[in-house]
Amino acid sequence: MSVELDVFVGNNTIMDEDVYQLWLDGYAVNDAVRLRMETGALRDCDVSSDVVHSDTMDQFRTFHMCEKLLHCPAKLGNQLLFQIPPQKQAMMIERYYQFDSAFAREVLGKKLSKGVKKDLDDISSKTGIGVKSCRRQFDNFKRVFKVVEELKGPLVDNVKRHFLLSDSLAKDYAAIVFFANSRFETGKRKLQYLSFQDFAFCAGQLISYWTVGAVDNMMEDMDVDLETEFLHNLKDLKVLINDKDLLDQHKSLVCAQLRGKIKVFSEMEANFKFIEPCRSDKWSVGDLRLFLSHYSSTAHMLETFRFEPIWDRYMGVIKSCILKMYHD
């Protein structure tokens, strides 16, 4: 009786990046084999499905064994079981923590709890992202949040240091941590047109100018919590919209500055507000930028706001966020 046994011995761990991505996307072995046979480098090769199946199953097994190490990326470089070159380690970590913007948009601002995890099937159906992939992404969000939420120091730096991620991916995770902590309502109907990247940009602005770390880089949770005193003082700005006389004065000053300079002057004068009228009247980005600039600067011509430094700190972020959301 003959017995067939396939044995391969080597130093470096065999790892195909395309196969790794199939594993990350949550494909079963058989589905991954089919995709490998139909697309990619194997499509035009004379190789049997049995060989591809064996190779795929072996690599999937390796990825599964590495997964616990990926939960704490620093361990991947210190372990001796798998001989993985540093550049391959960096690729594995970065891809493992990458996420789909559509998925992030669905969970953004929600508490990263079991309640949201129960909704992953619905999110998968809505976004077309595999359930296994949704689960991996959600668990990554929760893991990063738990590690960095109470660390002292810049949020992005903490994410990079503990999870060895690139600058861009670390910034995206910082946005997720910030919104999960602050619990901003990102799911309102009027905000549905905004993408994850829109919110990530705004998170960066809020972190840079409105958090505790914006004024004191030695405070705990410096990039996670909004500065309490700043939030308290914001109530002083409500007078600009609650006091009709002051509102009319401000409107007159802005109109005087913009008359003849923007195409939508009549619409602006009739609707002295922001985003929704601008979108419905199809303002140009240039007109909106000019309006916001004068809206901000003319407030200092009002006696009440002449020496109100918090106004500039507030409007600086508001202008940036509005222009980002409107431009895209």
Side-chain angles (χ1 to χ4, degrees):
M1 182 178 68
S2 63
V3 178
E4 292 186 2
L5 181 65
D6 294 330
V7 177
F8 179 84
V9 178
N11 289 328
N12 290 336
T13 301
I14 299 299
M15 184 179 301
D16 185 297
E17 293 187 19
D18 292 334
V19 178
Y20 183 51
Q21 190 60 53
L22 291 171
W23 178 76
L24 290 175
D25 290 340
Y27 285 100
V29 171
N30 290 338
D31 292 330
V33 169
R34 176 179 53 78
L35 288 170
R36 292 185 72 190
M37 296 291 290
E38 294 175 354
T39 61
L42 296 180
R43 181 176 54 187
D44 300 322
C45 296
D46 185 17
V47 60
S48 71
S49 60
D50 289 340
V51 172
V52 178
H53 187 278
S54 178
D55 175 68
T56 303
M57 188 166 57
D58 182 61
Q59 292 198 58
F60 270 36
R61 187 183 300 114
T62 298
F63 300 146
H64 180 70
M65 294 172 68
C66 288
E67 188 164 17
K68 287 186 177 180
L69 298 172
L70 290 167
H71 291 172
C72 185
K75 292 182 178 180
L76 190 63
N78 297 325
Q79 55 80 36
L80 300 176
L81 182 60
F82 302 102
Q83 299 301 308
I84 306 173
Q87 65 271 20
K88 284 285 187 179
Q89 292 181 28
M91 179 277 296
M92 288 185 69
I93 295 167
E94 187 80 0
R95 286 203 185 183
Y96 187 79
Y97 282 92
Q98 281 177 349
F99 56 85
D100 294 283
S101 293
F103 175 80
R105 180 66 182 89
E106 290 297 317
V107 302
L108 192 66
K110 296 180 180 178
K111 186 177 181 181
L112 300 176
S113 63
K114 291 182 179 179
V116 176
K117 196 167 186 177
K118 292 178 181 178
D119 297 332
L120 294 183
D121 286 345
D122 293 336
I123 294 176
S124 174
S125 298
K126 182 177 180 180
T127 61
I129 301 167
V131 174
K132 288 185 178 180
S133 182
C134 287
R135 189 174 298 116
R136 171 181 60 83
Q137 295 178 55
F138 177 81
D139 288 342
N140 285 344
F141 290 173
K142 188 174 181 179
R143 184 179 307 110
V144 173
F145 179 83
K146 282 188 173 182
V147 170
V148 306
E149 67 170 324
E150 295 183 358
L151 291 179
K152 183 178 180 179
L155 185 53
V156 174
D157 290 349
N158 286 336
V159 174
K160 288 173 61 178
R161 182 170 64 256
H162 286 273
F163 292 93
L164 309 181
L165 303 181
S166 65
D167 288 344
S168 59
L169 189 55
K171 288 178 181 178
D172 285 344
Y173 268 98
I176 290 166
V177 171
F178 178 78
F179 277 112
N181 181 72
S182 302
R183 303 293 299 278
F184 281 91
E185 294 186 37
T186 62
K188 291 185 176 181
R189 182 181 59 81
K190 292 180 180 180
L191 302 177
Q192 289 305 303
Y193 75 96
L194 297 174
S195 68
F196 167 76
Q197 289 303 329
D198 289 327
F199 281 109
F201 173 84
C202 292
Q205 293 291 301
L206 294 171
I207 289 171
S208 296
Y209 298 104
W210 287 6
T211 59
V212 175
V215 293
D216 188 347
N217 60 12
M218 295 303 294
M219 294 291 291
E220 298 287 345
D221 303 336
M222 56 178 283
D223 282 353
V224 178
D225 295 326
L226 293 171
E227 187 196 356
T228 304
E229 184 178 356
F230 170 72
L231 294 178
H232 177 74
N233 290 337
L234 281 179
K235 71 179 187 299
D236 295 336
L237 304 184
K238 289 184 178 181
V239 66
L240 190 59
I241 56 175
N242 292 337
D243 187 317
K244 188 178 183 307
D245 290 339
L246 200 62
L247 177 63
D248 289 340
Q249 290 179 48
H250 189 207
K251 179 178 178 179
S252 296
L253 290 169
V254 175
C255 289
Q257 294 288 332
L258 294 178
R259 185 172 283 105
K261 295 181 180 178
I262 60 175
K263 296 179 181 179
V264 290
F265 180 85
S266 298
E267 292 83 352
M268 180 274 295
E269 191 175 24
N271 273 303
F272 198 64
K273 299 178 182 179
F274 286 157
I275 288 291
E276 288 190 61
C278 298
R279 286 175 58 82
S280 61
D281 293 331
K282 298 181 179 179
W283 287 34
S284 69
V285 176
D287 281 352
L288 180 58
R289 182 179 289 108
L290 194 59
F291 168 75
L292 290 172
S293 178
H294 286 292
Y295 183 91
S296 179
S297 63
T298 54
H300 287 300
M301 299 172 69
L302 302 169
E303 187 63 32
T304 307
F305 278 70
R306 192 177 301 279
F307 304 107
E308 188 59 82
I310 195 175
W311 172 251
D312 292 326
R313 185 179 175 188
Y314 170 74
M315 279 303 301
V317 171
I318 295 299
K319 286 192 295 183
S320 296
C321 291
I322 288 177
L323 288 170
K324 168 63 177 176
M325 294 176 178
Y326 190 79
H327 179 68
D328 288 346

